[in-house]
Amino acid sequence: KQTLRVESSWTIETVYGPLIKTKAVMPSIVYELETEVKEARDGDTRFDFRITKVTTTPSKEVKPAQAEGVKKAADSLKGSAGSFSIGARGIVEDFAIDAPSSASLFLSDMVDQIKQAIRLSSLPLPAEPVGKGAKWTATQVVEQRTAKIRHTSTFELVGVKGERVRATSIYAAETPKQTLKLPGSSSDAPLELHELDFFGDSKGAWRLNKLGPASASEHTLTGFKMTATAPKVEVVVMALDTTLEVKAQP
């Protein structure tokens, strides 16, 4: 069993057509996740987890509507359970969670944060033994705001001490054109995703003999360029700026 503490901060910018532009600073959030190994077989390990605590902290830059919406989503997320598996190379797969199905966009973003925090908790390892200074890549398909993203991380091993390793990584992504239906949208019409820009990096110290880093953090910036067809045809651009920090509790 292991408890993970996850802290997030995020900002959302949206542009509708040529005239309307909004920027929203969201409350910072602390999640606590209790994880437990349920099965280990042939190099794969299956975990169950439960979200035991979700705390939101608005700053003076957070507007009341965002503070209320995020708190409501946080309250509905507390107690949710799920599962995931980690392969022999440390790559997280088969993530599932029983979050409320009538999700708002706030709740959808928070579930995405939990998914990414669990991925950040496990360091993907190279196929061959390596030493300090080595570089390797790992590719996973991740989902953000329902968009499927082919996410490639380039890692560098910067230190090794016993069962603890320190590494950094730089992210890149490829995303095919696809149709999105954003959670909580007032329109039934889907959005056509034409372009997605994704940048990010991470750093941390991971303990190879247990789940969860001593400390790991990442910063990502995702830009969506889409076309809406209702209530009128217009270009919609969204930018999601997120910082995550994950620690395994002693």
Side-chain angles (χ1 to χ4, degrees):
K1 293 182 180 181
Q2 182 73 64
T3 298
L4 301 177
R5 182 185 188 275
V6 181
E7 185 170 354
S8 73
S9 58
W10 41 319
T11 302
I12 303 169
E13 292 189 63
T14 309
V15 179
Y16 299 93
L19 299 176
I20 302 174
K21 181 177 181 180
T22 64
K23 180 177 180 179
V25 177
M26 312 306 290
S28 62
I29 306 174
V30 173
Y31 310 91
E32 288 189 9
L33 282 65
E34 289 185 354
T35 67
E36 182 178 359
V37 175
K38 302 303 290 185
E39 184 180 23
R41 181 183 299 177
D42 299 328
D44 291 334
T45 307
R46 186 174 65 83
F47 294 80
D48 285 352
F49 73 90
R50 181 172 294 277
I51 302 170
T52 58
K53 188 175 182 180
V54 187
T55 305
T56 64
T57 306
S59 68
K60 62 181 181 181
E61 298 173 288
V62 178
K63 295 180 180 179
Q66 277 77 42
E68 182 179 351
V70 171
K71 185 179 186 306
K72 183 178 179 181
D75 290 343
S76 70
L77 192 59
K78 183 179 177 182
S80 295
S83 61
F84 60 93
S85 61
I86 298 179
R89 284 189 57 192
I91 295 177
V92 174
E93 300 174 328
D94 303 323
F95 178 93
I97 186 172
D98 66 354
S101 57
S102 57
S104 65
L105 192 55
F106 294 138
L107 182 59
S108 176
D109 285 343
M110 293 164 68
V111 169
D112 286 343
Q113 290 172 10
I114 291 168
K115 290 180 186 177
Q116 190 56 27
I118 288 175
R119 292 189 185 99
L120 188 60
S121 295
S122 178
L123 175 65
L125 300 171
E128 302 295 333
V130 296
K132 183 179 178 180
K135 293 184 179 181
W136 66 95
T137 62
T139 300
Q140 306 173 67
V141 176
V142 303
E143 206 171 284
Q144 192 167 33
R145 291 201 162 184
T146 74
K148 291 178 173 57
I149 304 169
R150 184 176 171 83
H151 178 296
T152 298
S153 304
T154 300
F155 294 93
E156 180 176 359
L157 187 62
V158 297
V160 181
K161 186 176 181 181
E163 297 291 340
R164 182 176 295 193
V165 299
R166 290 186 296 111
T168 61
S169 72
I170 298 174
Y171 302 156
E174 297 177 8
T175 306
K177 292 183 180 180
Q178 52 194 287
T179 300
L180 308 181
K181 180 65 171 69
L182 296 183
S185 173
S186 58
S187 171
D188 291 331
L191 295 165
E192 297 297 327
L193 177 65
H194 301 295
E195 184 179 339
L196 185 142
D197 295 319
F198 181 88
F199 308 95
D201 57 79
S202 71
K203 62 181 179 180
W206 287 264
R207 293 174 285 200
L208 300 180
N209 58 347
K210 60 177 63 177
L211 172 69
S215 178
S217 62
E218 73 168 16
H219 174 248
T220 57
L221 178 61
T222 310
F224 303 81
K225 185 176 182 180
M226 303 169 287
T227 299
T229 57
K232 61 181 179 178
V233 176
E234 63 181 347
V235 174
V236 179
V237 178
M238 292 183 178
L240 191 62
D241 190 320
T242 306
T243 298
L244 286 176
E245 296 183 2
V246 184
K247 291 183 179 181
Q249 300 293 78

